[in-house]
Amino acid sequence: MKILVAGELNPDLILQGYEIFPTPGKEILVDDLNLTMGSASAICAMGLARLGNRVSFLAKVGKDPWGEFCTGILKEGGIDTSRVIRDENLKTGLTVSVSAPGKDRALVTYLGAISELEGGDITDEVLSGFDHLHISSFFLQRKLRRDVRSVFALARRLGLSTSLDPGYDPSERWENDLVEILPEVHVFFPNEVELSAITGEQQPAEALRKLSNGRTLTVAKLGGNGCMAFDGGEIVEVPAIPVKPIDTTGAGDSFNAGFIHAWLRKFSLRDAMRFASVCGGLSTQGVGGTSAQATEGQVRTYLNSSTGSFR
C-alpha cells in the first residue's frame, strides 16, 4: 500500500521519571532524558513504514537542526521525505513530554512550523498515486484545519481512503468544524478524552453512537481499557494487551498505524482492532514514540501466541 501522511513534524524532548509533577515556581528532578522524533503524524508514519507500507511524508519544517534531525530519522525509517517543505522563515516546532512509568504524560509544545502546512500544499498532483491519506493533529495544524474538509473531499474524488486523528485541542473549545468534516473521512481515531470532549458524552459507547453518520468508522482508543468502535448498529470492543508501559508517548499513533495497515488489507473490524491494540501496546515498551514500534511479524507472533491463531 502507498500511503501519504500529511501533518506536523517536530522532535520530542522526553523528560522521564518524576516523583512529583512540576508546578509553577518549583523545580523537580527527572531520572532520564531523550531527544526523539516526535509529532503524532510522524510517529504514525514511522509505524506504517515499520509494518511494511510504502509511506511518504508531507510537512513544513524550518531550515534548522531540528528539521534536519526529524527528516533524517524519517529517511532512516524508509519514508520518502521529498515532499517535506523546508522554509528558512520558519522554526521547526518542539514538544517537551514529561512522563513517568505507569502514568500518562503531559506535553508542552512550541508550534513553529507545525501550524504552517496549508490545504494548498495538498494538491491533486501531490495525492496522485497514493492509496490512502492520513492526517493527525487537527487542532495543532491551524492553517490546514480551515482547508482539511476540501482536502479530504479531493482525496475521496481521487479514490483514496482517508483517516484522521484529531489530537487534543489546546484551546479546549472543541468547535463543531471537526464533526462537520467527518462525512469526508473514512476512519476517525479519537482517544477517550477527545471523544468525550467532541460529543459531550461521558460514556464511550454513547459518544460513538452520537458520532455515527453512516459514512465514518470511528475507532476510539481507551488506553488501558482497550478500544471500541460502533459498526452496523453494534458496539465492538477489544481489550488492551497486558503490558507494563515504559513510556506511553505515541502509543495512540502506533495504534493508528496498526489499524490503517490492517484495515487497508481488508481485515475484519475486530481483527483490525486487535492488530492495532498490539501495535499500540508494544510501542510502550521503549522510550519515545518510535523506538519499540512493531513489525507485522512481531504483531502476528504476539497474536498467535496469545490466541492460538490469527487470520
Side-chain angles (χ1 to χ4, degrees):
M1 292 294 175
K2 194 173 181 185
I3 301 169
L4 177 65
V5 178
E8 81 285 25
L9 183 57
N10 61 270
D12 278 355
L13 176 61
I14 300 172
L15 305 178
Q16 193 175 25
Y18 61 85
E19 292 186 5
I20 300 173
F21 195 76
T23 57
K26 296 184 179 181
E27 181 178 6
I28 66 163
L29 301 179
V30 295
D31 297 331
D32 200 4
L33 69 81
N34 286 276
L35 183 68
T36 69
M37 210 263 308
S39 82
S41 300
I43 293 171
C44 181
M46 290 284 282
L48 285 163
R50 179 82 170 149
L51 291 167
N53 298 280
R54 296 171 60 195
V55 183
S56 296
F57 203 86
L58 172 63
K60 285 186 177 179
V61 296
K63 285 189 174 181
D64 52 34
W66 300 136
E68 286 282 358
F69 175 79
C70 292
T71 54
I73 291 177
L74 289 177
K75 288 177 183 178
E76 289 173 4
I79 294 171
D80 169 33
T81 61
S82 62
R83 293 169 178 80
V84 175
I85 302 164
R86 303 199 65 192
D87 188 333
E88 62 184 7
N89 297 313
L90 297 174
K91 291 182 179 180
T92 302
L94 175 72
T95 291
V96 178
S97 173
V98 185
S99 65
K103 299 179 182 179
D104 204 352
R105 78 271 191 254
L107 305 177
V108 181
T109 295
Y110 164 70
L111 284 177
I114 288 172
S115 62
E116 296 302 309
L117 191 67
E118 302 179 68
D121 297 315
I122 310 175
T123 63
D124 52 356
E125 183 179 0
V126 168
L127 293 172
S128 177
F130 288 100
D131 301 300
H132 185 85
L133 170 66
H134 177 74
I135 295 176
S136 295
S137 302
F138 174 82
F139 295 104
L140 295 183
Q141 297 198 76
R142 293 173 177 174
K143 289 187 177 179
L144 183 57
R145 175 178 177 176
R146 65 194 181 200
D147 301 323
V148 74
R149 181 168 188 165
S150 62
V151 169
F152 279 131
L154 173 62
R156 271 183 172 268
R157 290 197 299 273
L158 294 174
L160 284 74
S161 54
T162 59
S163 54
L164 173 66
D165 185 319
Y168 192 77
D169 180 5
S171 73
E172 298 189 336
R173 290 195 292 266
W174 304 100
E175 294 170 325
N176 289 334
D177 57 334
L178 175 60
V179 174
E180 290 168 356
I181 70 169
L182 290 184
E184 299 292 350
V185 178
H186 287 97
V187 186
F188 182 50
F189 292 117
N191 65 25
E192 188 170 15
V193 173
E194 295 153 3
L195 181 67
S196 177
I198 291 163
T199 62
E201 298 287 346
Q202 296 302 311
Q203 298 301 318
E206 293 307 311
L208 288 169
R209 290 188 176 94
K210 191 170 184 177
L211 280 183
S212 179
N213 60 22
R215 299 185 71 180
T216 307
L217 171 63
T218 300
V219 182
K221 298 167 289 187
L222 309 179
N225 293 319
C227 56
M228 182 184 294
F230 183 62
D231 181 55
E234 296 185 358
I235 293 293
V236 180
E237 296 183 75
V238 167
I241 67 171
V243 294
K244 184 176 181 179
I246 294 172
D247 181 10
T248 60
T249 301
D253 307 308
S254 292
F255 176 101
N256 295 349
F259 188 91
I260 293 166
H261 176 87
W263 182 77
L264 288 174
R265 287 161 177 78
K266 310 300 182 184
F267 285 34
S268 71
L269 175 58
R270 186 175 294 279
D271 280 349
M273 291 167 69
R274 291 169 64 202
F275 192 96
S277 182
V278 175
C279 287
L282 292 182
S283 77
T284 69
Q285 299 306 285
V287 175
T290 63
S291 66
Q293 286 179 314
T295 64
E296 181 170 9
Q298 289 171 325
V299 177
R300 287 185 176 277
T301 296
Y302 182 95
L303 287 167
N304 286 326
S305 65
S306 61
T307 65
S309 63
F310 178 74
R311 206 174 186 271

